[in-house]
Amino acid sequence: MPMVLFAALAASAAPPAAGLIEVRPDGMRTLFTTERLHRNDQVVAQSAESQGIAKCCVALRILGPQRRRSDVSDELTGRRVRAYALPSLKAPDTLPYLGGALVFHARDEDASQVEHALSGDPAGKALPTVCISSEGAHLLQWLDGKPKAHLYMHFDYAVEPSCSEDMLKKSH
């Protein structure tokens, strides 16, 4: 009986939530997510190589909440997007960057899930995709072919898009 209870508890652990990581030129890192987070919740995030190309992965801890920003919205469900401070990068290592992340609540944290995510194989829970449309960045995540997350960060300027029309249609 205890083994059955343990298996049920392990299976009930919440899947990690999607998050958008922003690294600013001054090294400040911010996580955007619709989840309510606490100190010690763990983030597994993409980071940037020297050419700005995404690489996997770095483990970070939430430092605390930040002020809400109006330039980031939840395009899938309309939920409030929350901002959280992450440890800053040192100036020489800083490259402005937007990337995907998985958030693991400390209360639900399964060490093997975090280890799989850090190794680039999050056991079927792929890191969200980040692509650019003509005026902003989209964080997209699917689970079993269905959209699970779609955050949007609006830019105040036009940029060269990298998102495909099909990808954006599939995310609604």
Side-chain angles (χ1 to χ4, degrees):
M1 184 78 152
M3 184 59 101
V4 172
L5 179 60
F6 176 75
L9 288 173
S12 69
L20 176 67
I21 293 281
E22 176 189 47
V23 178
R24 301 184 66 86
D26 63 1
M28 189 170 124
R29 287 191 279 198
T30 303
L31 172 74
F32 299 96
T33 182
T34 57
E35 296 292 308
R36 183 177 299 245
L37 303 179
H38 304 283
R39 288 186 185 271
N40 295 323
D41 285 345
Q42 189 161 336
V43 177
V44 174
Q46 293 173 320
S47 59
E49 293 181 340
S50 60
Q51 299 84 14
I53 298 168
K55 67 176 185 173
C56 192
C57 285
V58 60
L60 303 165
R61 293 274 181 192
I62 300 294
L63 297 178
Q66 289 185 334
R67 282 188 342 189
R68 187 174 180 196
R69 294 205 351 217
S70 61
D71 62 336
V72 183
S73 59
D74 177 358
E75 298 294 304
L76 185 62
T77 63
R79 291 176 59 193
R80 176 182 174 193
V81 177
R82 301 168 187 275
Y84 296 94
L86 298 170
S88 294
L89 290 171
K90 295 182 181 8
D93 300 329
T94 302
L95 180 65
Y97 177 75
L98 291 172
L102 294 175
V103 178
F104 297 87
H105 292 281
R107 68 180 181 271
D108 298 330
E109 198 169 294
D110 175 353
S112 66
Q113 270 192 327
V114 174
E115 287 172 21
H116 284 292
L118 282 169
S119 71
D121 173 24
K125 296 169 182 69
L127 279 163
T129 300
V130 176
C131 65
I132 307 296
S133 62
S134 61
E135 295 182 352
H138 296 264
L139 172 120
L140 307 167
Q141 184 182 39
W142 297 274
L143 183 63
D144 298 326
K146 296 177 185 165
K148 183 179 175 202
H150 182 178
L151 300 183
Y152 176 71
M153 177 183 279
H154 177 74
F155 302 152
D156 287 331
Y157 50 88
V159 292
E160 186 68 31
S162 66
C163 297
S164 73
E165 288 295 321
D166 287 343
M167 186 183 292
L168 291 177
K169 284 179 187 174
K170 186 175 136 181
S171 65
H172 284 94

